[in-house]
Amino acid sequence: NDGDSVEIKINGIVNNSSDEAPAGTLSVTVPTALSFTVSNTGKLTGSNINVVNNGTQAVDVYAYQFTDASPTTGIVVKNNSDELTKKSDVGLKLNGNAGTAYFKSETGNGVYDEGKHAASQPDGIKISNIGGGNDDILYLEGDAGKGELDSQYTSTGMSERFTLRLKIKKAS
């Protein structure tokens, strides 16, 4: 076995004489990991990511899709705080400088606005606007239930992976 191969796309840009990127070129750096921890008392502590706009044009950042591979088991993300009973029931939101997106474990898109309405725009929920050469910190925050975990997890705890897709577009 020669190991695994990974395909990496390389995008080249040559700036003009004024050192500006070609029109329509977006260059944004987005970290690829967020996390949260629920303590034994039910306190949820989230993390943040810093999204950097390396280009000259302003961009909008949208929370586009939230996916939970097992929406009814394990850690369940709920967008109704009244339903947070066990510590494995969590409410999650991502805050940026232009809005907040709320998430839910379900088979659909899983992204909601503050009124708990599913994202109606095809791009999702706008959470950030970042001018050229600027950045914005997106904060993952939330709450958890206070009740005990199911008995098989009381001694071991539990972990689960979720997928969040962001969409970055030239600011309108």
Side-chain angles (χ1 to χ4, degrees), residues 13-162:
I13 296 173
V14 177
N15 290 351
N16 67 13
S17 58
S18 304
D19 204 28
E20 298 163 333
T25 301
L26 300 182
S27 173
V28 180
T29 305
V30 182
T32 56
L34 273 167
S35 64
F36 66 88
T37 302
V38 177
S39 73
N40 63 354
T41 59
K43 180 180 187 316
L44 188 144
T45 304
S47 64
N48 60 59
I49 55 174
N50 190 30
V51 179
V52 180
N53 182 353
N54 304 303
T56 55
Q57 300 185 355
V59 297
D60 289 332
V61 179
Y62 296 84
Y64 176 64
Q65 184 182 50
F66 178 84
T67 310
D68 180 350
S70 58
T72 58
T73 59
I75 300 171
V76 180
V77 180
K78 302 182 175 187
N79 69 350
N80 181 348
S81 55
D82 298 338
E83 296 175 4
L84 302 179
T85 51
K86 301 180 286 195
K87 285 189 274 274
S88 56
D89 296 333
V90 299
L92 291 177
K93 62 185 179 181
L94 189 64
N95 299 305
N97 66 15
T100 302
Y102 295 79
F103 305 124
K104 183 177 180 183
S105 294
E106 61 181 7
T107 53
N109 196 25
V111 176
Y112 289 79
D113 65 16
E114 290 186 70
K116 308 293 186 266
H117 303 104
S120 54
Q121 308 94 336
D123 294 323
I125 304 291
K126 181 175 168 182
I127 54 175
S128 184
N129 172 270
I130 308 172
N134 289 303
D135 64 332
D136 185 29
I137 297 176
L138 306 181
Y139 295 92
L140 183 68
E141 300 175 331
D143 299 297
K146 306 293 184 212
E148 287 305 317
L149 294 172
D150 292 339
S151 58
Q152 70 265 38
Y153 299 111
T154 41
S155 63
T156 61
M158 58 196 328
S159 68
E160 189 174 338
R161 288 183 183 271
F162 305 92

